[in-house]
Amino acid sequence: MKMKSSSDDEHDEEKGKLLEKSKERGSRNGRVVVKVHNQALLSGLAYCLSSCGMILVNKFVLSSYDFNAGISLMVYQNFISVIIVSVLSLLGLVSTEPLTWRLIKVWFPVNVIFVGMLITSMFSLKYINVAMVTVLKNVTNVITAVGEMYLFSKHHEGRVWAALFLMIISAITGGITDLSFNATGYVWQTLNCFLTASYSLTLRRVMDTAKQYTKSGNLNEFTMVLLNNTLSLPLGIFLMLVFNEVDYLLRTPLLRLPSFWLVMTFSGVLGLAISFTSMWFLHQTGATTYSLVGSLNKIPLSVAGILLFKVPTSLENSASILFGLLAGVLFARAKIRERSQS
C-alpha cells in the first residue's frame, strides 16, 4: 500500500544527495549521463502513473462497481502487498528486517493511525470526486505544519504559510461550489487529513526508536511496507466485523465476477508499485524534483478524475480546484526553498 502522503517527503532528502554524487561521477562519461537521464524520465513516469492509477482504480472499485466494503478492499490490497514483498525478500531482490515482537510493539501505535488513514481515504473517495479529494488533501499540509511547530519547534517562513493559506481558501471555495457535495464524504476526508498528518508526525518520532530494534540498525521502506501491511491485516479483519462488512461480502454478487477480482488485485499491485517507483524516482533525481513532481502530478490526476467519472462541475468549482492545485505547487516550491536555506 502507498506509504507516501503529501507530508512524508522530507526524510528522503538524503537519498537524493547521495545520487548527486553518482551523477557527478557519471558526468565524465557521456553515455552514462544519457542513461541516467533516461532512468530519471522512466522512473518519473512510472511514479506518476502508479500514484494516479491507484486513486483512479480505487474510485472505480468504490463508485463504478458500487462496492460498499472499503475496509475489505484495504485488507485485500494490503494482503497482496505482504505476499509480493515477502516473495521478493525470500528471492533476495529486496532487503527487509525481521519482524520481531519488540519492533511490532514499538510500531503498533503508528500502524493504528496508518489503518485509520487508509480506511477514511477509502470512505471519502467513495462519496467525493477525485479532483476535490486531491484539493482537500492539501489541508493535511496545514495540520502537519502546525504540528511541526508545536511538537518539533520547527518554524516555517512566510512563503510556506502563504501557500498554506491559499490551500485553505481553495478547500473552502471548492466545497462551497462543489455540485456533487456530499457531507458524509467531507466528514471522512476531514478525518483523513487529521489522521494523515498524525501519521506523518508520529512516524518521525517512532522511526528513530524502531531502528534500535532492527538487526541492521536501519528501517528501509520495504520493511515499513511489510510491517504496516502485515499489522494492518488483523486490525482490518476486526474492523470488517465491527462494520458488518462480512455480511455484505457474503451477499454481494460482485465477488463472483472475475473482472472485479482482477481490478481489486490490480489496485493492490499499484499500491505497492507506488513504494517501489517513489524510491526509484527519488534515487534517480533527488528530494527536490521528487517533491515538485508529486505536486504537479495532482493536476493531470484531477483532470482525469473529472473526465473519466463524468463529474458535474462548474466554472467556479473548476477554478477553485485549479487554484488549490497551484497552491500545492507553490507550497512544494516554498518547502524546497526553505530546505535549501536551512
Side-chain angles (χ1 to χ4, degrees):
M1 203 64 186
K2 182 182 178 181
M3 294 289 296
K4 301 287 180 189
S5 71
S6 54
S7 311
D8 292 337
D9 301 332
E10 287 91 343
H11 67 275
D12 291 316
E13 189 174 4
E14 291 182 7
K15 297 179 183 176
K17 291 178 180 178
L18 290 173
L19 183 75
E20 292 298 321
K21 296 179 181 178
S22 65
K23 282 184 178 181
E24 289 175 8
R25 291 195 297 267
S27 64
R28 299 171 187 173
N29 188 317
R31 294 176 66 182
V32 175
V33 172
V34 171
K35 184 178 179 181
V36 169
H37 281 299
N38 288 339
Q39 287 273 339
L41 180 62
L42 187 61
S43 61
L45 184 62
Y47 167 65
C48 291
L49 289 175
S50 60
S51 58
C52 286
M54 178 67 181
I55 296 176
L56 294 174
V57 171
N58 277 349
K59 179 66 176 176
F60 181 69
V61 171
L62 296 167
S63 297
S64 298
Y65 273 110
D66 196 26
F67 186 60
N68 294 316
I71 301 173
S72 303
L73 177 60
M74 178 212 72
V75 169
Y76 184 71
Q77 289 175 341
N78 290 4
F79 176 71
I80 293 295
S81 295
V82 169
I83 294 297
I84 295 175
V85 173
S86 298
V87 170
L88 292 176
S89 180
L90 288 173
L91 294 174
L93 297 175
V94 299
S95 175
T96 58
E97 297 290 334
L99 304 187
T100 63
W101 173 247
R102 296 177 73 184
L103 179 60
I104 290 171
K105 190 177 178 181
V106 170
W107 198 263
F108 184 73
V110 179
N111 187 255
V112 172
I113 301 173
F114 173 76
V115 171
M117 179 182 73
L118 295 183
I119 291 174
T120 52
S121 177
M122 292 286 188
F123 287 167
S124 67
L125 196 59
K126 180 174 176 60
Y127 297 107
I128 310 177
N129 68 73
V130 172
M132 276 310 304
V133 166
T134 306
V135 170
L136 293 172
K137 277 184 178 291
N138 283 337
V139 177
T140 302
N141 293 315
V142 181
I143 301 169
T144 304
V146 174
E148 287 176 333
M149 188 171 64
Y150 284 100
L151 296 176
F152 303 109
S153 301
K154 184 176 180 179
H155 298 284
H156 299 286
E157 61 178 32
R159 293 171 185 265
V160 173
W161 289 113
L164 292 173
F165 177 73
L166 293 177
M167 287 178 179
I168 295 173
I169 297 299
S170 67
I172 294 172
T173 55
I176 292 172
T177 58
D178 187 1
L179 298 181
S180 56
F181 179 86
N182 185 292
T184 303
Y186 273 72
V187 170
W188 282 118
Q189 185 53 53
T190 301
L191 287 173
N192 178 256
C193 289
F194 278 98
L195 286 169
T196 304
S198 299
Y199 177 73
S200 176
L201 294 168
T202 307
L203 191 67
R204 297 177 196 185
R205 282 181 173 271
V206 173
M207 276 185 71
D208 289 335
T209 305
K211 288 176 183 178
Q212 300 172 18
Y213 298 103
T214 60
K215 190 175 180 180
S216 66
N218 291 314
L219 194 67
N220 61 31
E221 176 122 2
F222 297 115
T223 300
M224 286 193 289
V225 168
L226 187 62
L227 191 56
N228 262 332
N229 288 291
T230 302
L231 292 180
S232 72
L233 296 180
L235 184 56
I237 292 170
F238 171 74
L239 291 173
M240 284 169 59
L241 296 171
V242 171
F243 282 83
N244 201 28
E245 286 193 359
V246 176
D247 183 56
Y248 169 79
L249 293 174
L250 294 173
R251 290 184 291 103
T252 181
L254 289 173
L255 297 185
R256 293 191 287 272
L257 297 175
S259 59
F260 180 71
W261 282 103
L262 183 64
V263 173
M264 282 216 307
T265 304
F266 182 55
S267 69
V269 173
L270 277 175
L272 184 59
I274 293 171
S275 294
F276 282 91
T277 56
S278 62
M279 287 184 68
W280 183 24
F281 184 42
L282 191 65
H283 277 294
Q284 293 299 327
T285 55
T288 300
T289 304
Y290 176 82
S291 178
L292 193 57
V293 169
S295 298
L296 291 170
N297 192 37
K298 294 177 182 178
I299 297 175
L301 171 62
S302 299
V303 174
I306 291 172
L307 296 178
L308 290 175
F309 298 101
K310 299 177 181 178
V311 177
T313 187
S314 62
L315 181 62
E316 293 82 4
N317 186 245
S318 297
S320 298
I321 291 170
L322 180 61
F323 185 67
L325 295 172
L326 292 177
V329 176
L330 290 175
F331 174 75
R333 288 178 61 87
K335 289 288 286 183
I336 289 167
R337 180 186 175 89
E338 187 179 68
R339 280 199 297 264
S340 64
Q341 287 180 345
S342 60

